[in-house]
Amino acid sequence: MGAIGNAEWTGVRLSDVLDAVGAPDASDLFVAFTGADEVDVEGEEASFGVSIAMDKARQPDVLIAWAMNGEPLTPEHGAPLRMVVPGYAGVRSAKWLIRIEVRDTPSDAPIQAHDYKLFPADVTSDTADWSQGLTINAMPLNAAICVPGSGESLPAGEVRIEGYAIAYDRRVSRVEVSVNGGRDWQQATFTDDPEAHWGWRRWTLDATLAKGRQHLVVRAFDETGQGQPERPDTMWNFAGYLCTAWHHVDVLVE
Ligand SMILES: Nc1nc2c(c(=O)[nH]1)N[C@H]1C(S)=C(S)[C@@H](COP(=O)(O)O)O[C@H]1N2
Ligand SMILES: [Mo]
């Protein structure tokens, strides 16, 4: 179980802080972040530590943040200071920051070195060589149906279907919804700013549902025209990362 959301962040640009302290700036460097907490990665207790490449660290939207939605950060969101690295997996946005270090190698903390890595389908947890995995940073295009919920019972007739799509540093160009398991598709209407980077674009579609067990599906396309994979098994990896296949929701229409 988990929860996700969009927030408005306030802080200082990491690049301004790097400049202020005269940090070196070269594309082959990394910026590493350490949190005040200890984490357990496969039985190994160590400080929470992650890193990003210098080119990403220098992007203007990468912040050292102290406020979320106009309020000081709460403890669970990383008070007093946390990183916000938009477009990247949440794990790179270190909370409870105690140290920022410019290095010539990625962080060697276990979270960076032995977690959040993508392996080919033929690699298992027993055969994985963690130094060879692809570090998961930029997030892929994704979309989900939020309403109705899976397994819900609905009255026959017109139903409002709602959800979100996200393409990070790209735009979501369109969202398509099927109410018959993917045979026919209708375009949803966006309710969020199409130009907004990093966050969700919420969408709605009013569709007429026939009686019986109905199979709702959503898929998004980005501004390059690329879509999501149809089936989750096409992107199988033993750790279960980046499963951005079309989202399905089954409902019972009575
Ligand atoms: N210090 C520290 N930072 C951390 C983590 C952590 O365990 N310790 N978890 C990371 C992960 S995996 C995510 S998804 C985000 C979650 O941030 P949120 O709690 O504000 O949603 O924090 C990241 N930063
Ligand atoms: Mo996470």
Side-chain angles (χ1 to χ4, degrees):
M1 282 293 282
I4 52 172
N6 285 306
E8 196 177 291
W9 300 99
T10 309
V12 62
R13 289 189 170 129
L14 174 62
S15 69
D16 288 345
V17 171
L18 293 173
D19 285 341
V21 299
D25 180 9
S27 288
D28 57 350
L29 296 176
F30 298 86
V31 182
F33 312 110
T34 307
D37 54 326
E38 299 255 302
V39 288
D40 183 322
V41 179
E42 287 163 12
E44 198 187 337
E45 281 277 326
S47 291
F48 180 93
V50 287
S51 57
I52 57 176
M54 183 60 82
D55 288 348
K56 179 69 177 180
R58 288 282 181 180
Q59 297 289 306
D61 289 340
V62 175
L63 300 181
I64 304 171
W66 54 77
M68 187 174 103
N69 296 333
E71 307 270 337
L73 281 180
T74 55
E76 65 268 36
H77 289 300
L81 290 175
R82 74 171 298 168
M83 293 307 304
V84 174
V85 183
Y88 272 22
V91 68
R92 307 291 160 226
S93 291
K95 302 191 277 191
W96 314 298
L97 259 186
I98 55 170
R99 186 178 167 84
I100 299 176
E101 191 187 352
V102 175
R103 305 165 47 96
D104 52 20
T105 55
S107 167
D108 49 23
I111 285 274
Q112 182 73 32
H114 292 273
D115 218 344
Y116 296 91
K117 291 206 176 184
L118 192 67
F119 288 94
D122 59 329
V123 174
T124 68
S125 55
D126 292 332
T127 63
D129 170 358
W130 284 89
S131 69
Q132 297 302 309
L134 173 81
T135 298
I136 295 171
N137 284 321
M139 290 284 97
L141 177 71
N142 208 357
I145 296 169
C146 302
V147 180
S150 187
E152 250 181 65
S153 295
L154 306 168
E158 190 157 279
V159 168
R160 174 152 294 189
I161 304 168
E162 297 174 65
Y164 70 84
I166 183 164
Y168 302 93
D169 57 344
R170 291 179 175 169
R171 282 182 39 200
V172 180
S173 62
R174 72 181 198 276
V175 168
E176 295 181 346
V177 177
S178 170
V179 297
N180 58 11
R183 278 198 303 283
D184 304 293
W185 297 90
Q186 290 168 264
Q187 284 193 51
T189 305
F190 291 112
T191 55
D192 280 321
D193 177 4
E195 300 303 327
H197 273 180
W198 313 125
W200 299 344
R201 288 185 73 188
R202 283 167 293 183
W203 52 262
T204 64
L205 177 77
D206 293 326
T208 305
L209 300 189
K211 282 193 180 178
R213 189 162 289 284
Q214 303 299 346
H215 203 60
L216 314 183
V217 193
V218 65
R219 63 183 188 191
F221 295 83
D222 70 18
E223 63 189 353
T224 71
Q226 294 283 295
Q228 300 167 242
E230 178 178 346
R231 297 193 330 265
D233 52 321
T234 59
M235 32 191 350
W236 191 89
N237 61 97
F238 77 82
Y241 287 122
L242 303 182
C243 186
T244 57
W246 301 354
H247 183 219
H248 292 242
V249 165
D250 283 340
V251 291
L252 186 62
V253 182
E254 294 171 316

